[in-house]
Amino acid sequence: MARKKGQTYSAEKKVQIVLELLKEEQTVGQLAAKYQITAKSIQNWKKQFLENAAIAMEPAKAISEYKSQLEAKDEEIDQLHKALGKTTIEKDWAVKKLKSLDYKTKKLLIKSELNISLQGQCNMLEISRSSFYYTPKPMSAYNLQILNSIDEIYTDNPEYGYRYIHQQLLEDGLSIGKDRVLKYMQLLGINAIYPHKKKLTSIKDEQHHIYKYLLKEYWTQNGRTKTINVPNANEVWSGDITYIRTNGGFMYLAAVIDWHSKAILSYKISNSMDATLATDVLKDALSKYPKPKIFNSDQGSQYTSYEHTKVLKDNNIQISMNGKGRSIDNIVIERFFRTLKHNNIYISDYQSIKDLKQGVEAYIHKYNFKRFHSSLNYQKPMNVYLVLRRMHLATQMHKHLAS
């Protein structure tokens, strides 16, 4: 549902909506429809809320820093006034401030009653007139069906790129173009698993540093078959995020897995696929288990973000990232996601987020402690992890006593 004409939200109302989002009881789409606002606006409010949460804890410090910034800016403006003249500087300063505003704020500044045309206002604020008139709509049931179909096709055929997925959708009777398939794959955060480099469809931030892939030593080639062997628990962890469908929309599941034991060490379901989700899961795993030697992920912006890489650096964990277009480099957690969807998500038809969270929690407990894993000689993942962890601790204690 589109926002009503002229409707605005107070800071208090924005905080209320963000707090509802953080409860993780509704999808972003459901909240957007409830409050007649775009999903993008809600995500932006959440980001702004989290980035400024520290101010509430130390307001005096924030005010002091703000005053210092103002004093520095005042001094800079005074110098510019002397050089170029007061009128010119004030004009330039105002234009720069307007251009630095976020899209949402710029759009609110445009008024039809001003003596400047709407086209002129859009040009000065550097936003397109078409986007100003755009009225967002919630995702239709048909498009949600397409998203779910793409997720199922990819889970069964992780080697499929957007062209193959598009062809399968057409064969299944769904009308959609190739470009929209590619767009939806980006929304889901998925790309084809190829043995060679292909076009990457996951979203990454070009300003973030990309780290080398450090796991080549664990792969062995036997003819056309490649296998992975990590000899010890807590030697390699990896993280990833996947799309999880519900009856009312979709959510995202982030998880951390130990490559040796295949145990899921931490996970979280959220209505937002962002750096906070990836970082929260990593912090939770580190709070419960000894840190790994290496942490591997894809090149998505959630994992290349400052906050996620800072946690790894602070714990002296080596950072490894998949090669461009090579989801196969993170195959251990990709396989877990495939197992989860086939054995739980696709056959459960969860009607609410609460049911989804309870169902996934029950399945992951079963996977960790009760389900046999063929690659572990039919042992159970968490049992393997805990036994090796105890053996490692005993070895470390023996070495300590011997020294």
Side-chain angles (χ1 to χ4, degrees):
M1 183 180 293
R3 181 193 300 191
K4 294 179 181 177
K5 185 176 181 180
Q7 184 175 355
T8 60
Y9 287 90
S10 65
E12 291 78 8
K13 192 66 176 179
K14 292 178 182 178
V15 169
Q16 177 191 336
I17 295 172
V18 170
L19 291 177
E20 285 192 47
L21 179 70
L22 293 175
K23 287 181 181 179
E24 305 287 4
E25 294 176 354
Q26 300 178 73
T27 66
V28 175
Q30 289 170 332
L31 282 173
K34 177 180 177 181
Y35 290 103
Q36 300 182 5
I37 189 68
T38 65
K40 182 65 175 177
S41 293
I42 296 177
Q43 296 284 20
N44 288 339
W45 293 348
K46 175 189 174 184
K47 181 179 179 182
Q48 184 180 7
F49 178 85
L50 294 177
E51 287 176 348
N52 293 282
I55 294 177
M57 300 294 103
E58 295 184 280
K61 179 181 177 182
I63 292 172
S64 176
E65 291 177 352
Y66 182 65
K67 286 182 177 179
S68 297
Q69 292 175 4
L70 285 178
E71 290 171 359
K73 179 58 69 176
D74 288 341
E75 182 179 349
E76 179 184 351
I77 290 175
D78 287 340
Q79 292 174 352
L80 290 173
H81 281 177
K82 295 175 183 178
L84 302 175
K86 187 174 184 299
T87 303
T88 302
I89 294 305
E90 287 180 346
K91 178 183 175 182
D92 290 345
W93 179 84
V95 170
K96 289 179 181 178
K97 286 296 182 183
L98 287 173
K99 290 182 178 180
S100 68
L101 296 174
D102 60 84
Y103 173 79
K104 167 74 173 161
T105 305
K106 288 180 179 179
K107 193 171 180 181
L108 291 175
L109 291 175
I110 298 175
K111 305 293 183 183
S112 58
E113 62 267 19
L114 297 179
N115 292 328
I116 306 173
S117 68
L118 291 178
Q119 180 66 61
Q121 294 180 61
C122 288
N123 290 341
M124 284 189 288
L125 292 171
E126 294 187 344
I127 65 175
S128 66
R129 192 172 66 171
S130 60
S131 66
F132 171 71
Y133 286 111
Y134 172 70
T135 302
K137 298 179 181 179
M139 183 170 286
S140 67
Y142 181 73
N143 288 340
L144 193 58
Q145 178 189 357
I146 291 176
L147 274 179
N148 292 337
S149 297
I150 291 174
D151 179 51
E152 289 188 23
I153 294 168
Y154 175 79
T155 301
D156 286 339
N157 307 278
E159 76 282 5
Y160 274 15
Y162 75 96
R163 294 181 180 87
Y164 280 90
I165 290 179
H166 173 252
Q167 191 61 42
Q168 185 63 56
L169 290 169
L170 295 180
E171 186 174 305
D172 293 343
L174 296 171
S175 178
I176 185 174
K178 291 181 182 178
D179 290 342
R180 191 146 65 100
V181 171
L182 187 57
K183 176 183 176 181
Y184 282 178
M185 289 178 69
Q186 291 173 342
L187 177 63
L188 298 178
I190 62 176
N191 55 275
I193 295 178
Y194 286 106
H196 302 290
K197 290 186 176 181
K198 288 283 181 177
K199 183 175 181 180
L200 182 66
T201 55
S202 60
I203 302 171
K204 70 175 184 179
D205 192 317
E206 297 295 342
Q207 296 180 349
H208 292 170
H209 178 70
I210 304 300
Y211 293 81
K212 291 175 57 178
Y213 185 66
L214 304 178
L215 307 184
K216 291 181 180 179
E217 63 180 278
Y218 299 107
W219 288 91
T220 56
Q221 185 88 34
N222 184 11
R224 292 187 174 183
T225 304
K226 292 184 71 175
T227 57
I228 187 80
N229 178 40
V230 177
N232 300 304
N234 291 331
E235 188 162 342
V236 176
W237 290 2
S238 69
D240 203 356
I241 301 174
T242 193
Y243 163 98
I244 298 289
R245 73 189 190 192
T246 69
N247 190 51
F250 57 91
M251 301 284 282
Y252 294 101
L253 169 69
V256 169
I257 194 169
D258 175 70
W259 274 41
H260 173 80
S261 64
K262 314 301 187 293
I264 300 300
L265 305 181
S266 179
Y267 74 93
K268 182 179 178 181
I269 294 174
S270 174
N271 44 27
S272 306
M273 184 172 66
D274 52 24
T276 300
L277 173 60
T279 306
D280 285 349
V281 175
L282 173 60
K283 287 180 177 178
D284 181 62
L286 290 171
S287 71
K288 295 187 293 188
Y289 305 106
K291 67 181 183 181
K293 175 184 175 183
I294 300 171
F295 186 91
N296 188 74
S297 71
D298 62 22
Q299 297 182 17
S301 59
Q302 300 84 10
Y303 292 99
T304 60
S305 67
Y306 170 79
E307 57 185 299
H308 191 271
T309 55
K310 184 178 186 299
V311 173
L312 296 172
K313 292 176 181 177
D314 289 347
N315 286 276
N316 296 316
I317 299 170
Q318 296 180 48
I319 303 174
S320 170
M321 292 184 177
N322 299 352
K324 185 177 180 181
R326 291 181 55 88
S327 293
I328 194 172
D329 289 344
N330 214 14
I331 193 64
V332 175
I333 198 163
E334 296 280 356
R335 286 172 176 166
F336 166 73
F337 285 154
R338 199 180 316 155
T339 299
L340 168 69
K341 291 182 179 183
H342 274 299
N343 295 350
N344 183 266
I345 302 299
Y346 294 157
I347 63 177
S348 298
D349 189 26
Y350 291 114
Q351 298 297 306
S352 69
I353 295 173
K354 181 180 179 181
D355 291 342
L356 170 67
K357 289 183 176 181
Q358 291 176 344
V360 171
E361 178 183 13
Y363 180 80
I364 290 180
H365 179 80
K366 174 184 175 182
Y367 169 88
N368 273 339
F369 292 98
K370 297 180 179 180
R371 185 179 183 275
F372 297 114
H373 203 294
S374 60
S375 69
L376 300 173
N377 292 321
Y378 296 96
Q379 299 181 77
K380 294 151 188 176
M382 190 55 78
N383 292 348
V384 172
Y385 177 82
L386 294 176
V387 166
L388 288 172
R389 179 185 170 193
R390 285 194 291 267
M391 289 174 60
H392 175 73
L393 291 174
T395 301
Q396 294 297 107
M397 181 63 71
H398 178 73
K399 289 181 179 178
H400 177 72
L401 295 174
S403 61

